Amino acid sequence: MTPGPRHFLAVAAGGAAGATLRYGALQAQPDGAGFPWTTFAVNVLGSALLAGLLLLPLARRSPVVAAGLGPGVLGGFTTFSATSEQARALLADGRAGLAAAYVVGTLAAGLLAVVLVGALAPPLPAEDER
């Protein structure tokens, strides 16, 4: 299936919503100078939500909805670029151990979230599987 204009519009609108949610989370609880807990939490939560996306019947049945929620909302919500920049700033401050813990911890916690969702999620109905 080739994505059409509706897919691109769904991703664009979803991306704006996800980025706005991330911005709001960081305004409510700024990362500060130590471990970037808010960005870490956003990325782990986004990983878990993306892993469970197809548990939503509408996302299984509508490629436009799946695109809007997956690469759109959750793609805009999570942020690899901020993680990279925060790790660079920690390195620049001479905090190599914290930078390494942040990068490795983000990847490990995100992967763990995906594995847990996969283990705890009910199986998809046979008629919905692609």
Side-chain angles (χ1 to χ4, degrees):
M1 174 198 75
T2 302
R6 292 181 353 156
H7 294 84
F8 287 98
L9 288 172
V11 171
T20 301
L21 288 170
R22 175 171 28 94
Y23 179 78
L26 287 164
Q27 293 306 301
Q29 184 62 51
D31 276 327
F35 192 90
W37 285 109
T38 303
T39 301
F40 177 84
V42 161
N43 286 333
V44 174
L45 176 61
S47 295
L49 292 172
L50 188 57
L53 180 63
L54 291 182
L55 295 173
L56 299 173
L58 187 57
R60 290 194 304 273
R61 292 187 179 97
S62 172
V64 172
V65 170
L69 293 176
V73 174
L74 297 173
F77 182 61
T78 59
T79 173
F80 185 73
S81 58
T83 301
S84 299
E85 171 53 26
Q86 289 163 331
R88 186 219 49 84
L90 289 169
L91 286 170
D93 286 344
R95 302 168 85 180
L98 188 57
Y102 178 51
V103 171
V104 172
T106 297
L107 294 173
L111 181 58
L112 179 61
V114 169
V115 168
L116 286 174
V117 168
L120 298 174
L124 296 177
E127 67 272 6
D128 284 344
E129 290 188 18
R130 297 185 218 189

